Amino acid sequence: MAIIGIDLGTTYSLACVYRNGRAELIPNELGDYKTNSVVSMMEDGSVLVGAAAKERLITHPESTAASFKVWMGTERMISLGKKSFKPEELSSLVLKQILQDARQYLGEPVDEAVISVPAYFNDNQRCATKLAAQLAGLTVKRLINEPSAAALYYRHSMQEQGDSQMMVIDFGGGTLDVSIVECFENIIEITAIAGDNHLGGNDIDCAIVAYFCGQNGLTMEKLDAFALSSLYRQAEEAKIALSQGDMDTRVSVVLVQDDNKYSVTLTNTLLRQLCEPIFCKVRAVISRAMKDRARAGRINEVILVGGSAQLTVFCDYLEELFGRRPAVHGNTDEMVALGVGLCAGIKERAEELQDLVMTDVCPFSLGVATYNDARDNNPHMAFLIQRSSMLPASHQDNFYTLSNNQQKLRFEIFQGEGYYAKDNLKLGELEVRVPPGMAGQQYATVTFTYDIDGILHVSARSSGGDYRERMILNSRFQPGDMALRQAHERISQIQLAARGNQEDQLLLETAMRLYAQMTGIMREQVAKLIQYFEWNRESGDLIQREKSRREMRKQLAAIEIYLYADPLDLDFWADDEEDREDDE
Ligand code: ADP
Ligand code: MG
């Protein structure tokens, strides 16, 4: 039974397996390695995951959810039609889809996985990820930090392996992670991690939409869900088109509402201006990673990872910052998944990977609240594990009673860098009984162990011998908990769309999205396409159906190009080349 590696991304999720001596990406039913992390609830209560679901962000925004990874580890509920879900529940649906595709592709049962998380994910977010896997029926063999996975893959695939210090910048849809990695022979050591869990390509789309509204005198908050998702989608496509074009490329974003047509035309120069505030935040994160690393010394290489790292204006920005253009190796958006696949291979004890060693560090400091005296009501932090400590890390400290005959010592556990406990994220509490005595006489020894998955175990032993320990899991969910069982029940009842018609579903959803976005003659044309396609699907034979799929794909692609083109870039004069060709 294979262990698979899963890159559970904000925008896309990928699966990878280690076999025949290499990490191999697993295609989904559509033949793509990337599955959109988008979930949509259908009218019949089944759930669509992936590209077809993404189309429904525009046609059915109320019953479709995307980018929910940014809410992992929070109490936020996300509604899909009449039901609402926790972020980890939506993630579990994505995992279910990935798993279904992997089982199909590999032709064997799969129920164990290595899953990657942003290095900068805190304890709640990591626990929520483990929970998502659990709800999907997966056992997590390990959580690995995304940039570490990328570094592992990069290093493993390099021919010559001299000692080097690299910086991995993972700029995805919703998160930024920057890691410093030292490589020495077969040892890969992560020495510093910095990041921002709310910074990514989505913010660029958002900046474009905000600019669009500003230029057209529209208020973002007043736009309906359909208009907004259509704008976000166009913004993303425009951004990608610009990074695939050159300095002269012009792309439009258009919105038709109440007979008014609003538009803006974007260029790379303008995009760069819109991105400036976002890039400033990126710079701050890079600089923090540099300051935190264990050893000084120059960086030999900057490795770009993540979809947003393909942005031309981003690479330009980094070139100005570093004085050298960072090299892009392979597909930036597949690197993490390949690394997670390698990691799965290590877990399976693949022969060739045996001498590969990777160490990681803790992204946040961990400690307990400590009081100056019995009247102190604004405790500060006593850190037991400092950020950037190598994993697994373990440390202990003694804490004494503050008043005479105090009966117990209570420890509140926090994660973060703030001086005062209240400024940090509370992870849990632990209490031990102490024997009677004078203030400062009795004490408890608290031990923190941060494991290789980046999950914290805390224990306390009092001078009276009372011993308590606890794995800091998301306090909402303890294993065996009723709520967990109920969530499991709920998720296992949800059916994923049946295999074998994903492609048809995608074509139909795309057509319906274009129908919603278009007006006039184009709209009628899309309607005809839909009718023809559905008719063939019901009554055509296999060949007929395949032909109609091909035709549909071609027609939709052409309409799509028309939709996103700058009207002035389209053939303008009546006597253009095509007409002439026709005349010949
Ligand atoms: P995740 O956040 O799931 O890890 P990725 O690393 O694949 O996802 O990054 C997704 C982001 O990359 C999205 O915001 C997407 O718009 C952006 N993106 C994808 N391809 C390109 C491209 N060619 N140019 C610019 N941005 C891109
Ligand atoms: Mg990613």
Side-chain angles (χ1 to χ4, degrees), residues 413-431:
I413 301 140
F414 288 90
Q415 163 177 317
E417 313 305 322
Y419 175 78
Y420 289 112
K422 68 170 168 49
D423 297 331
N424 298 318
L425 175 74
K426 184 168 167 181
L427 300 177
E429 309 185 342
L430 201 61
E431 209 173 69

Side-chain angles (χ1 to χ4, degrees), residues 362-383:
C362 167
F364 299 96
S365 302
L366 296 156
V368 296
T370 180
Y371 299 78
N372 289 321
D373 54 51
R375 278 164 308 169
D376 185 358
N377 55 16
N378 189 11
H380 57 276
M381 291 296 299
F383 285 116

Side-chain angles (χ1 to χ4, degrees), residues 378-399:
N378 189 11
H380 57 276
M381 291 296 299
F383 285 116
L384 279 91
I385 295 177
Q386 302 282 349
R387 74 161 186 264
S388 294
S389 303
M390 196 190 287
L391 297 183
S394 191
H395 201 84
Q396 56 181 211
D397 216 340
N398 292 340
F399 295 88

Side-chain angles (χ1 to χ4, degrees), residues 321-391:
L321 195 64
F322 298 133
R324 197 197 297 172
R325 198 166 187 86
V328 173
H329 304 272
N331 282 338
T332 57
D333 40 14
E334 292 173 355
M335 201 106 95
V336 170
L338 287 163
V340 190
L342 266 187
C343 193
I346 295 174
K347 278 283 160 201
E348 282 178 324
R349 304 184 184 285
E351 192 84 15
E352 324 80 84
L353 300 177
Q354 254 172 18
D355 54 353
L356 204 58
V357 180
M358 188 173 72
T359 65
D360 218 324
V361 293
C362 167
F364 299 96
S365 302
L366 296 156
V368 296
T370 180
Y371 299 78
N372 289 321
D373 54 51
R375 278 164 308 169
D376 185 358
N377 55 16
N378 189 11
H380 57 276
M381 291 296 299
F383 285 116
L384 279 91
I385 295 177
Q386 302 282 349
R387 74 161 186 264
S388 294
S389 303
M390 196 190 287
L391 297 183

Side-chain angles (χ1 to χ4, degrees), residues 61-80:
E62 347 46 53
S63 53
T64 310
S67 296
F68 36 84
K69 181 174 169 182
V70 303
W71 305 114
M72 285 290 263
T74 69
E75 298 285 343
R76 192 180 178 106
M77 297 298 283
I78 300 147
S79 54
L80 290 190

